Structures are given as structure tokens and as C-alpha cells.
Amino acid sequence: MKLRILLCVTTAILLPSVCWSSEEYDPLLYPDMAQEEAVPLSEPIPYNESQTLALPKVMSDEDLNFENMDFDSLDAETPSASDEEVSQTPLPQAAKAEAQSTQSQAATPPKVDKNKTLTDNLEAKPTSAEGEVVSVPKVDSTWLSKIKEPLLGDTPQANGQAPSSNNEQGKVNLSSLMEKSKTTVKRSNASVFDISGAMLRMSFAQIDEALSRRGFRRTMQKMDIPNFIRWRNEDKCRASGVVGYERLENCVIQMAKKDGYQFIERVTYSKFKTREEIEVRFTSTFTNNKAYRISYKSEAATNISGNSQKQIYLRNIKVYDFWKKINQKYGTPDNKDDVIWGLGGNKPYLQAGTGRLVLEDPMLRELDYTRMSREDQKFMNTDLYSF
């Protein structure tokens, strides 16, 4: 305001005809004067005092004093209109029953039978300490029903039981599988076992290479000829005029070599540093001269003699170490009484004793005997009998 008056004075001095602001006023500060001097309209607007702007209230020192203010009343939540409407809305009957059952469960916990499992307790209708039935959520479609659900695989008819429903056909319970696994006798396939790398049905070259890599040295090798071939060659040599034991034996061997009947019958390998010995027996050339028996012997556990505490202690340590390595390599024996691994019958087996092992394939040996017997029958010509 002062600035405007100053401006008008300055302008009046310079331009007296321009200044007309001496009668100007602020309509907010002088509403009555603004109403009187307002330009009249065609339709006058009614004036309402409530529409005027109120003057701002100047805050006093009491308003700025917050020491006596009650802050606890401000923190308290005041229920809104919507909350009051919800609280006053009546609940459905099902919701009321569920709320009452939940409160009753919280008040009286169900009685649990310690002799039953967790699944059985949840599936059964639990009762409170007073004997009342407590309602719990249904567990039909949860993981609890999957635990006791039978598995696919076997049929109840196979176990001698009649199926109670169509859903139980072709299924077996977990409990029956557990019982079967305990009673089933597991058998080991001894045909895949080895002793220092030597396995059954290996040729002589393969056995020699495997044992040589383990530090064994060949100490003995024996050649042999099937008996019926030997006897046949003896007759042929005598018929050709060979006389004398040594000459006759040499003639038999040369004829067997020429016909391919001489084979390696037995080979012995030794490891002198650890006092270990392995003997391998082979079949004839009728079954391609394969290994059918591998014997292992170690003197480390039996060469300590004496009954002093030191000898007994050292001997027990070596025996324990031997059986520990046997268990690590071959696992638990199928026949614990005789310490035998194998499928039984005429199939390959492994038998162990303190300081010794025997890995044998009786079926391969029987096959070799059968083929030699057939060849011998062809040579003997048994068609001479006519009765």
C-alpha cells in the first residue's frame, strides 16, 4: 500500500493528470465498500456473509505449548463407520459353527493315542479329555492320504488275498514292500568279481597282463592234453612204430599241437614281497581255453607263529585288515555261515577264508567236459551194438 501511494506521489509530481489512485482500496479488507461501489448487473447476485473468507487466526503461546497434551488419546484407534457396520452384520450359520468349533478346539486340545502313528491319529476322529469328539480339518485330499496309498506293481491275488475293491487291484501297500525287502535274500553275481584284476572266463593273455600290472610274476605254467586225445595219439604213434616212453610222449605232444588240442591247464603267479600267490586253472581248447577257477592265498595272516601277546596282537591286526578289505570289495556274503557270494546252483561263486579266496565257475567246467565227451563218442563209434 505504501509502495502504491509512493508511486502515485511520484507520478503526480511528474504527471499530475495521470494519478487517480487516492481513493483506491483493498476489497478483501473493506467488503462493505466493495459491495456499495460494485457495478450493478442486470440481475443482482444475493450476498451471503458465510461465503466471505475468514481472517487467519493468529496462534498464541498456549497453542504452541505441547507439554500438557494427551498423546495416548491420539494413539487409540477409533472405530470407523465401516468397521461398525461389519461388526453389526450378522454372520452366516456355517461361519458361526466353524468359529465356535475353532474356539472349542483351542480351548480343549484333542486326545492323542501314543500307540498309533501320526497318520492314524489324524485320520481317526480325535476326542477330547472329556470324551467329546473334536472336529478337525479333513485330510482326505492331503499328503496324509498319499502316505498310506498303495503303490502300483503287485496284485492282491499274488499274495493270496482277495481284492476288496476295484481300486485295490494291481497295488501293494508300503508295509508289505518293507516286509518283502527284509525277507528277500539278495544274491551277488560272482561272475563280475575279480581277484587282483583276474576274472573268470579270461584268456591266458588277459590273465597274464592283469596280474603283471599288479606286481605278480609267473612262477609255473603247465600244459595239458585231454585224456581221450592223448590215448588216441598214443595208438597212432605205436601204430607208426614209435617205441619208448620219452619218444612216445614226444610224439603224442607233437600230434596234439598240430591238431590244436594242447592247452594251458594251470598257471601260478607269486608276489614275493607280500607273500601272495594266485593259481589260475583253464579249460581245454573245446571252450577256447578260458579261466574257470582262480585261487588266492596269502601268508601274511598265517605266517606269524607263537602265543605271546605281541604275536597274537600282530596276527589279529592282519586278520582284521584282511576281512575289512574283503568286506569293502565284495560286500556282505550271501551265505554268512560258509562265507560265499553267488547266485547259487551251478553258477559262479566266491568263497573266502582267512588268507585265501576261491573264485570258480562250475558251469564253464561242466560245459568243457560235455564238449569233450561228445567228441570222444564220435571217435569211439558206439554203433557196433545191435541188440
Side-chain angles (χ1 to χ4, degrees), residues 146-155 159 161 170-186:
K146 301 296 181 182
I147 293 178
K148 302 188 71 175
E149 183 179 354
L151 298 176
L152 296 175
D154 199 359
T155 58
N159 301 329
Q161 301 175 358
K171 295 183 179 181
V172 160
N173 292 331
L174 288 175
S175 58
S176 63
L177 290 179
M178 293 288 293
E179 294 297 331
K180 286 184 179 180
S181 62
K182 293 178 181 179
T183 57
T184 302
V185 179
K186 297 181 180 179

Coordinates of all heavy atoms in Angstrom, one line a residue, residues 146-155 159 161 170-186:
K146 N -1.7 -89.8 0.8 CA -0.8 -90.3 -0.1 C 0.2 -91.2 0.6 O 0.8 -92.1 0.0 CB 0.0 -89.2 -0.8 CG -0.9 -88.2 -1.6 CD -1.6 -88.9 -2.7 CE -2.4 -87.9 -3.5 NZ -3.2 -88.5 -4.6
I147 N 0.4 -91.0 1.9 CA 1.4 -91.8 2.6 C 0.9 -93.3 2.7 O 1.7 -94.2 2.4 CB 1.6 -91.3 4.1 CG1 2.3 -89.9 4.0 CG2 2.4 -92.3 4.9 CD1 2.6 -89.3 5.3
K148 N -0.3 -93.5 3.0 CA -0.9 -94.8 3.1 C -1.5 -95.3 1.8 O -2.1 -96.4 1.8 CB -1.9 -94.8 4.2 CG -1.4 -94.4 5.6 CD -2.4 -94.6 6.7 CE -2.5 -96.0 7.0 NZ -3.4 -96.3 8.1
E149 N -1.4 -94.6 0.7 CA -2.0 -95.0 -0.5 C -1.1 -96.1 -1.1 O 0.1 -96.1 -1.1 CB -2.0 -93.9 -1.5 CG -2.7 -94.2 -2.8 CD -2.7 -93.0 -3.8 OE1 -2.3 -91.9 -3.4 OE2 -3.1 -93.2 -4.9
P150 N -1.7 -97.2 -1.6 CA -0.9 -98.4 -2.1 C -0.2 -98.0 -3.4 O -0.7 -97.1 -4.1 CB -2.0 -99.5 -2.3 CG -3.3 -98.7 -2.4 CD -3.1 -97.5 -1.5
L151 N 0.9 -98.6 -3.7 CA 1.7 -98.4 -4.9 C 1.3 -99.4 -5.9 O 0.8 -100.5 -5.7 CB 3.2 -98.5 -4.5 CG 3.7 -97.5 -3.5 CD1 5.2 -97.8 -3.2 CD2 3.5 -96.1 -4.0
L152 N 1.6 -99.0 -7.2 CA 1.4 -99.9 -8.3 C 2.5 -101.0 -8.3 O 3.6 -100.8 -7.9 CB 1.5 -99.1 -9.6 CG 0.4 -98.0 -9.8 CD1 0.6 -97.3 -11.1 CD2 -1.0 -98.7 -9.8
G153 N 2.1 -102.1 -8.9 CA 3.2 -103.1 -9.0 C 2.7 -104.6 -8.9 O 2.7 -105.4 -9.8
D154 N 2.1 -104.9 -7.7 CA 1.7 -106.3 -7.5 C 0.2 -106.3 -7.3 O -0.5 -105.3 -7.1 CB 2.4 -106.8 -6.2 CG 2.4 -108.3 -6.1 OD1 1.8 -108.9 -7.1 OD2 2.9 -108.9 -5.2
T155 N -0.3 -107.5 -7.4 CA -1.8 -107.7 -7.2 C -2.0 -108.4 -6.0 O -1.3 -109.2 -5.5 CB -2.3 -108.5 -8.4 OG1 -1.6 -109.8 -8.5 CG2 -2.1 -107.8 -9.7
N159 N -0.6 -112.3 -3.6 CA -0.3 -112.6 -2.2 C -1.3 -113.5 -1.5 O -1.3 -113.7 -0.3 CB -0.3 -111.2 -1.4 CG 0.8 -110.3 -2.0 OD1 1.8 -110.7 -2.5 ND2 0.5 -109.0 -1.9
Q161 N -4.6 -112.9 -1.4 CA -5.7 -112.1 -0.8 C -6.6 -111.7 -1.9 O -6.2 -111.4 -3.0 CB -5.1 -110.9 -0.1 CG -4.1 -111.2 1.0 CD -3.5 -110.0 1.6 OE1 -3.8 -108.9 1.1 NE2 -2.7 -110.1 2.6
G170 N -4.0 -104.5 -8.4 CA -2.8 -104.1 -9.0 C -2.0 -103.2 -8.2 O -1.2 -102.4 -8.7
K171 N -2.2 -103.2 -6.8 CA -1.5 -102.3 -5.9 C -1.0 -103.1 -4.7 O -1.4 -104.1 -4.4 CB -2.4 -101.2 -5.5 CG -2.8 -100.2 -6.6 CD -3.7 -99.1 -6.1 CE -4.1 -98.2 -7.2 NZ -4.9 -97.0 -6.7
V172 N 0.1 -102.5 -4.1 CA 0.7 -103.1 -2.9 C 1.0 -102.0 -1.9 O 1.4 -100.9 -2.3 CB 2.0 -103.8 -3.3 CG1 2.9 -104.1 -2.1 CG2 1.7 -105.2 -3.9
N173 N 0.7 -102.3 -0.6 CA 1.0 -101.3 0.4 C 2.4 -101.1 0.7 O 3.3 -102.0 0.4 CB 0.2 -101.7 1.7 CG -1.3 -101.6 1.5 OD1 -1.7 -100.8 0.7 ND2 -2.0 -102.4 2.2
L174 N 2.8 -100.0 1.2 CA 4.2 -99.8 1.6 C 4.7 -100.7 2.7 O 5.8 -101.1 2.7 CB 4.4 -98.3 2.1 CG 4.3 -97.2 1.0 CD1 4.3 -95.9 1.7 CD2 5.4 -97.4 0.0
S175 N 3.8 -101.1 3.6 CA 4.1 -102.0 4.7 C 4.5 -103.4 4.1 O 5.5 -104.0 4.6 CB 3.0 -102.2 5.6 OG 1.8 -102.6 5.0
S176 N 3.8 -103.9 3.1 CA 4.1 -105.1 2.5 C 5.5 -105.1 1.8 O 6.3 -106.0 1.8 CB 3.0 -105.6 1.5 OG 2.9 -104.7 0.5
L177 N 5.8 -103.9 1.1 CA 7.1 -103.8 0.5 C 8.2 -103.8 1.5 O 9.3 -104.4 1.2 CB 7.1 -102.5 -0.3 CG 6.2 -102.4 -1.6 CD1 6.3 -101.1 -2.3 CD2 6.6 -103.5 -2.6
M178 N 8.0 -103.2 2.6 CA 9.0 -103.2 3.7 C 9.3 -104.6 4.2 O 10.4 -105.0 4.4 CB 8.6 -102.3 4.8 CG 8.5 -100.8 4.5 SD 10.1 -100.1 4.3 CE 10.7 -100.2 5.9
E179 N 8.2 -105.4 4.4 CA 8.4 -106.8 4.8 C 9.1 -107.6 3.8 O 9.9 -108.5 4.1 CB 7.0 -107.4 5.2 CG 6.3 -106.7 6.4 CD 7.1 -106.9 7.6 OE1 7.9 -107.9 7.8 OE2 7.1 -106.0 8.5
K180 N 8.7 -107.4 2.5 CA 9.4 -108.2 1.4 C 10.9 -107.9 1.3 O 11.7 -108.8 1.1 CB 8.7 -107.9 0.1 CG 7.3 -108.6 -0.1 CD 6.8 -108.3 -1.5 CE 5.4 -109.0 -1.6 NZ 4.9 -108.8 -3.0
S181 N 11.2 -106.6 1.5 CA 12.6 -106.2 1.4 C 13.4 -106.8 2.6 O 14.6 -107.1 2.4 CB 12.8 -104.7 1.4 OG 12.3 -104.2 2.7
K182 N 12.8 -107.0 3.7 CA 13.5 -107.6 4.8 C 13.7 -109.1 4.6 O 14.7 -109.7 5.0 CB 12.8 -107.3 6.1 CG 12.8 -105.9 6.5 CD 12.0 -105.6 7.8 CE 11.9 -104.2 8.2 NZ 11.2 -103.9 9.4
T183 N 12.7 -109.8 4.1 CA 12.8 -111.2 4.0 C 13.4 -111.7 2.7 O 13.8 -112.8 2.6 CB 11.3 -111.8 4.0 OG1 10.5 -111.2 3.0 CG2 10.7 -111.5 5.4
T184 N 13.5 -110.8 1.7 CA 14.1 -111.3 0.4 C 15.6 -111.5 0.6 O 16.3 -110.6 1.2 CB 13.9 -110.2 -0.7 OG1 12.4 -110.0 -0.8 CG2 14.5 -110.6 -2.0
V185 N 16.1 -112.6 0.1 CA 17.5 -112.9 0.2 C 18.2 -112.3 -1.1 O 17.9 -112.7 -2.2 CB 17.8 -114.4 0.3 CG1 19.3 -114.7 0.3 CG2 17.1 -115.0 1.5
K186 N 19.1 -111.4 -0.9 CA 19.8 -110.8 -2.0 C 21.0 -111.7 -2.4 O 21.7 -112.3 -1.6 CB 20.3 -109.4 -1.7 CG 19.2 -108.5 -1.3 CD 19.8 -107.1 -1.0 CE 18.6 -106.1 -0.7 NZ 19.2 -104.8 -0.3

